Amino acid sequence: MDLRRSYAIIICGGIFLIPEHIKIPNQIIPIIYTTIAAGLLNYFQRKNIENYIATGGEVFSWGRIICVGIIGLIVTLIILFSVIFVTDRSGTTETVNTYGVTKHEIVFDSENLTNHDVDKLADILTQTTFFDEEVTKYVYAEKINSTYVISISVVAGTANDDQALQSYKDLQAEMERFYPGNKIIINLVVDHLENIIKKIE
């Protein structure tokens, strides 16, 4: 029994170990594991099956076997589509764009901002030298009416660092010059968006 479990683990686990760049036709894997399963059944259970039938064990028709298989398929599909439906309903529309050699990240809701908006924001952050080539920066951007809210991930002690705070105040002022018709709010956050340690506006 342990050997059979080992085979199952090897087959199922092995599928996930295949590198993505290796292209395998969709039909190959089911053929392989079906062949292996048939071989294992023949090796481990053939005598038991023959003894069961020889002693008057009940044997079902192919029609019944197919019917049970179809019922199992229907149940599986119902569960699968239910999971997909729930996932789609609760799924996020957040997107991450990266910029520059240091891969600065801007996270945004694609239903709130377009890629064009975010590319423009990245260009401005580059022009203001906030996006540099030394340290990767992490930004969450959203637009509330005509206000851009930029949340920047910082270390915990930033709120008490006057020099660091001044650099963010300067950044906010520079960004408002690039967005003359919009208000800019910069939230300095630690660990997660709700943990705002300083709001600059």
Side-chain angles (χ1 to χ4, degrees):
M1 187 66 177
D2 290 339
L3 185 59
R4 280 172 280 170
R5 285 179 181 169
S6 299
Y7 280 126
I9 292 170
I10 291 169
I11 294 168
C12 295
I15 293 172
F16 295 99
L17 296 177
I18 298 172
E20 291 185 9
H21 66 274
I22 297 178
K23 302 299 181 185
I24 299 176
N26 294 337
Q27 299 85 354
I28 295 298
I29 292 176
I31 290 172
I32 291 172
Y33 68 63
T34 300
T35 303
I36 292 173
L40 291 174
L41 176 68
N42 188 55
Y43 181 81
F44 288 107
Q45 296 292 342
R46 183 173 182 178
K47 288 183 179 179
N48 292 337
I49 293 170
E50 289 174 351
N51 289 336
Y52 174 79
I53 294 172
T55 56
E58 188 176 3
V59 178
F60 298 104
S61 67
W62 275 107
R64 180 165 179 170
I65 294 170
I66 292 171
C67 183
V68 170
I70 291 173
I71 292 171
L73 175 63
I74 292 171
V75 170
T76 302
L77 289 175
I78 290 172
I79 293 171
L80 179 63
F81 285 121
S82 297
V83 170
I84 292 172
F85 178 75
V86 171
T87 302
D88 287 345
R89 289 287 299 272
S90 60
T92 180
T93 54
E94 283 189 356
T95 305
V96 180
N97 285 4
T98 58
Y99 300 91
V101 294
T102 51
K103 302 294 183 184
H104 301 294
E105 291 188 4
I106 298 182
V107 182
F108 64 101
D109 185 336
S110 59
E111 292 184 350
N112 181 254
L113 291 171
T114 65
N115 265 307
H116 176 74
D117 294 329
V118 176
D119 288 344
K120 178 182 177 182
L121 175 61
D123 183 54
I124 290 169
L125 291 172
T126 301
Q127 291 184 57
T128 59
T129 69
F130 178 72
F131 276 2
D132 54 28
E133 296 185 358
E134 297 175 5
V135 180
T136 303
K137 308 294 188 350
Y138 301 93
V139 172
Y140 182 87
E142 61 181 325
K143 190 175 182 182
I144 303 172
N145 298 322
S146 62
T147 300
Y148 284 91
V149 180
I150 312 299
S151 298
I152 300 174
S153 178
V154 297
V155 296
T158 304
N160 300 318
D161 186 333
D162 292 338
Q163 185 176 351
L165 285 178
Q166 187 58 52
S167 68
Y168 288 111
K169 290 176 182 177
D170 293 342
L171 174 63
Q172 188 268 346
E174 285 186 72
M175 291 185 70
E176 285 201 331
R177 283 196 287 273
F178 281 100
Y179 289 101
N182 303 96
K183 182 178 180 180
I184 304 294
I185 295 176
I186 293 180
N187 290 330
L188 304 183
V189 302
V190 175
D191 296 332
H192 53 85
L193 293 175
E194 290 73 26
N195 186 22
I196 301 172
I197 62 170
K198 188 69 177 180
K199 186 174 185 178
I200 301 170
E201 55 185 316

